[in-house]
Amino acid sequence: MSTDWDDVSFVISSRYRVAVLKRLADGPSTPSQIASDEDVGIAHVSRALQRLRERSLVDLLVSDDRKKGRVYGLTEQGRDVWEKIEAENMV
């Protein structure tokens, strides 16, 4: 599957989306863990996760009705986008 350059552009246009994808490339995580690990605000992380989820780059790995301890991970498409970003030294 070829990487969609629109998705690459979408991710690299926000440092918060880049931070979220970078952290999730290491494995599933909660928003608070991402915020702590990447030293960014939780509100930015939550917004980035929402946008990335809308584009099917990340997935919620727990039940949608769970409010605490929501664990997110990369989709296959998200992993492809992140690998392309790294391969092309775009961040």
Side-chain angles (χ1 to χ4, degrees):
M1 178 177 153
S2 67
T3 304
D4 184 342
W5 282 101
D6 286 337
D7 286 336
V8 170
S9 174
F10 174 76
V11 171
I12 65 173
S13 68
S14 163
R15 74 181 189 102
Y16 302 110
R17 290 190 288 259
V18 167
V20 168
L21 245 60
K22 176 183 174 193
R23 173 55 186 83
L24 291 179
D26 292 336
S29 186
T30 64
S32 57
Q33 287 173 321
I34 297 168
S36 174
D37 292 349
E38 297 299 318
D39 197 28
V40 295
I42 187 75
H44 295 295
V45 169
S46 295
R47 192 175 313 110
L49 282 166
Q50 181 181 353
R51 301 289 182 267
L52 292 166
R53 193 171 174 208
E54 288 168 0
R55 290 185 80 119
S56 300
L57 299 176
V58 301
D59 212 5
L60 180 61
L61 303 178
V62 297
S63 170
D64 231 351
D65 56 351
R66 186 167 177 89
K67 298 302 173 203
K68 288 254 184 207
R70 291 167 69 96
V71 179
Y72 291 85
L74 289 182
T75 62
E76 188 174 326
Q77 181 181 350
R79 188 160 303 283
D80 289 345
V81 167
W82 182 248
E83 287 172 1
K84 176 59 92 177
I85 289 169
E86 282 198 312
E88 298 292 338
N89 283 328
M90 300 182 94
V91 291

